Amino acid sequence: MSKKKSITLLTIISVILAIVLTMTFLRFEMGVKDYNSAVGAIELDYDMTGGVYYNLTLNQSDEDQQVSEEQTKEVAKEIGQRLEVLGYTAYMVKAVKNTDKDVQDYEIRVEVKGSEGDLNIDRDMLAVATYGELKFYGGTEANPTTQILEGVDVIEDASFYGATGDGAYALTIKFTEQGKKELLDIIDGSVYFLKVTCGLYENGQEIPLFNSTEQNPFDTSVFDGDNREIGIQSGSEQEAKRMAMLFKYGGIDYRYDIANNGKGITITSAFGEDIALKSMVAIITFIVVALALMIVVYKGLGIMSALSLLIFILAETWLLIGVPGIVVSLGSIMGIIGATVICIFAMLSLLQKIKDSFENTQKTVKASISKGFKEALLPTINMHVVVGIVSLLLFIFASGLVKSFAITFGIGVVVSLIASLVFTRMFNALIMPLVSNKEKFFSIKKEEIVSEEV
């Protein structure tokens, strides 16, 4: 590559990096509006900004309820699974001993992202705390009262499907083979109505999940052939998720009341109100120190790696707002730091291979750099694939903060691989034509061969 072309390309890249850096970290006026920066646009979870909490206490009207600490912990774990289904990423659910009463029992405390007065979150908590089993009613009149399918395992699975295109949201319900067969045996071919309930309102009435109407009775043709799935629509996305969750799990095994009339109470972050700012400062400080050390130790080689690391952190930051559904928690911050460490380690390994190649052979600087890249290719890919598999397994099987860690760590691993193998080599190709004394610039030299006289 010619010197003129290198200067032109480096200038263009520098201008782009300067613009992206400015848009990433700085706030400024843009016409009649203020630009909030990419960092300011990142959505933070409750453990970073605070949220709301709910206290679930055993219903005292049900004297038969005797729940041990272990049983309470199982219920808390189940509530956590239900929150995952409803889309919560960072949350806290724990059993707490209540010592304010004559008879000691255990409460369940739930903390989630949200704000006091958010009706959607209040309804989510009422749904996860619903007590009772799914009940099925059927008949030839609308709103049937004859219970059917008692003692039968009816539902195999249920999941949120998504928007239908007409302003509604759909969920799919998969019946078991037995549930489908028994339902079809009950229906005699005439117009049939089906109602499904789960739990009770405060007045004792059952809560309907699904109820076919006179205009839209239950259509048995959905079970034609081997199909065991039916679709149900709801007017809101979160309501559809709540319905899918209750169809899948039913209610919990014990009756709990939610304090404060089922409304969330505001809490601040347990780590302090400025934990988000402190986390950002910590990450920036860590990266600046790493950049400086690489440049001091490896000189020119460190510069090309530092530029690649800068692109890595910018790409990671923008992906936090570009990839749908990412909500940054403390686990996410640890994932970013972990991915940054992987990226630095990969680059240091590459730089050392380049130095070793030049010092131990008779190759030129250019040939040594090329050889170093080739030797680092397979180990770098292997390392990223291994940690990528780990992050994928954590994403699939973990929950809560660990899953948040897996998301940002996994994204960072992919960006790290590209930065290590692509951007580092790109900057090397652009910088090489501009350097006259390459050995001095890259701070590499041949090992002196000392001969012994006999």
Side-chain angles (χ1 to χ4, degrees):
M1 183 180 297
S2 66
K3 187 174 182 180
K4 184 177 180 181
K5 190 174 182 180
S6 292
I7 293 174
T8 302
L9 290 174
L10 280 173
T11 302
I12 294 172
I13 293 172
S14 299
V15 171
I16 293 174
L17 282 177
I19 293 173
V20 175
L21 270 170
T22 301
M23 296 184 69
T24 302
F25 296 106
L26 298 181
R27 298 182 179 186
F28 52 85
E29 292 184 1
M30 183 178 284
V32 295
K33 295 183 179 180
D34 291 335
Y35 176 73
N36 191 34
S37 81
V39 170
I42 294 173
E43 186 178 356
L44 302 176
D45 221 318
Y46 95 96
D47 60 341
M48 302 293 289
T49 61
V52 291
Y53 82 89
Y54 300 82
N55 268 2
L56 279 61
T57 58
L58 284 170
N59 186 291
Q60 298 303 308
S61 64
D62 192 342
E63 297 179 357
D64 294 333
Q65 291 195 121
Q66 297 294 328
V67 185
S68 67
E69 181 180 5
E70 288 302 315
Q71 289 171 321
T72 307
K73 289 180 178 178
E74 285 298 316
V75 174
K77 182 179 179 181
E78 187 176 350
I79 288 175
Q81 293 173 340
R82 292 163 182 254
L83 289 172
E84 289 271 340
V85 173
L86 294 180
Y88 294 88
T89 51
Y91 54 82
M92 188 280 295
V93 185
K94 64 180 179 181
V96 181
K97 181 177 286 189
N98 186 346
T99 58
D100 296 335
K101 300 179 182 179
D102 295 334
V103 179
Q104 290 188 357
D105 57 14
Y106 294 88
E107 298 179 348
I108 295 177
R109 182 181 172 99
V110 181
E111 296 178 5
V112 296
K113 179 186 177 183
S115 57
E116 193 170 322
D118 191 322
L119 188 59
N120 239 347
I121 301 176
D122 293 342
R123 287 175 175 171
D124 285 345
M125 285 308 307
L126 288 172
V128 300
T130 294
Y131 163 74
E133 298 178 347
L134 288 175
K135 292 184 179 180
F136 296 82
Y137 297 87
T140 56
E141 295 183 2
N143 196 28
T145 57
T146 302
Q147 189 169 353
I148 60 174
L149 303 175
E150 294 183 78
V152 178
D153 184 13
V154 181
I155 304 299
E156 180 177 313
D157 196 12
S159 60
F160 173 70
Y161 177 78
T164 60
D166 55 358
Y169 295 87
L171 59 145
T172 58
I173 313 298
K174 187 174 184 179
F175 282 65
T176 62
E177 288 282 4
Q178 183 185 12
K180 171 185 172 180
K181 179 180 181 302
E182 300 243 357
L183 179 59
L184 291 178
D185 288 344
I186 294 171
I187 300 174
D188 59 5
S190 59
V191 175
Y192 195 80
F193 297 92
L194 180 67
K195 180 172 73 173
V196 186
T197 67
C198 186
L200 301 172
Y201 290 115
E202 290 184 359
N203 60 10
Q205 290 185 336
E206 291 182 317
I207 302 173
L209 287 181
F210 170 76
N211 196 358
S212 51
T213 63
E214 291 184 2
Q215 292 76 25
N216 189 24
F218 185 71
D219 185 3
T220 58
S221 66
V222 296
F223 285 144
D224 287 348
D226 295 329
N227 184 53
R228 291 187 281 126
E229 289 188 349
I230 65 171
I232 299 176
Q233 289 192 352
S234 174
S236 77
E237 179 178 355
Q238 203 60 19
E239 179 62 26
K241 290 180 178 179
R242 287 192 286 267
M243 291 171 64
M245 184 267 294
L246 288 171
F247 267 109
K248 183 173 183 176
Y249 295 113
I252 59 178
D253 295 333
Y254 305 98
R255 188 191 302 273
Y256 282 88
D257 295 325
I258 303 178
N260 195 37
N261 296 318
K263 301 183 184 301
I265 301 173
T266 299
I267 55 172
T268 57
S269 169
F271 306 104
E273 295 183 4
D274 57 348
I275 183 62
L277 177 61
K278 287 180 178 178
S279 298
M280 184 179 72
V281 170
I283 293 174
I284 292 175
T285 302
F286 172 65
I287 291 171
V288 168
V289 171
L291 292 173
L293 287 175
M294 280 195 292
I295 293 173
V296 169
V297 175
Y298 289 97
K299 301 296 191 299
L301 292 174
I303 291 175
M304 67 183 191
S305 294
L307 290 170
S308 298
L309 183 60
L310 180 60
I311 292 179
F312 161 80
I313 198 62
L314 290 175
E316 176 87 353
T317 303
W318 280 91
L319 284 171
L320 293 179
I321 60 176
V323 177
I326 293 184
V327 182
V328 175
S329 64
L330 191 62
S332 307
I333 297 295
M334 298 307 296
I336 294 171
I337 295 175
T340 305
V341 171
I342 293 293
C343 188
I344 293 173
F345 182 81
M347 290 181 180
L348 291 179
S349 177
L350 168 64
L351 299 183
Q352 193 58 48
K353 285 185 181 297
I354 292 173
K355 289 193 72 172
D356 292 342
S357 174
F358 184 77
E359 291 173 354
N360 301 325
T361 68
Q362 297 303 311
K363 292 180 179 293
T364 63
V365 173
K366 185 176 181 180
S368 297
I369 291 175
S370 180
K371 182 182 178 184
F373 274 108
K374 288 180 181 178
E375 290 180 349
L377 179 63
L378 190 58
T380 301
I381 292 175
N382 286 342
M383 178 181 68
H384 283 82
V385 168
V386 170
V387 295
I389 291 173
V390 171
S391 65
L392 180 61
L393 291 175
L394 288 175
F395 175 77
I396 294 173
F397 296 108
S399 61
L401 294 178
V402 178
K403 191 167 189 174
S404 299
F405 166 86
I407 292 171
T408 53
F409 183 65
I411 291 174
V413 167
V414 175
V415 179
S416 170
L417 181 61
I418 298 172
S420 302
L421 298 180
V422 178
F423 291 118
T424 306
R425 188 145 198 173
M426 178 190 74
F427 283 118
N428 168 68
L430 293 174
I431 292 173
M432 283 286 286
L434 307 180
V435 180
S436 55
N437 189 340
K438 293 180 174 55
E439 290 187 22
K440 183 178 180 180
F441 179 76
F442 290 112
S443 187
I444 54 179
K445 60 182 180 179
K446 300 288 185 185
E447 286 189 353
E448 294 183 4
I449 302 175
V450 180
S451 60
E452 296 183 0
E453 293 184 1
V454 180

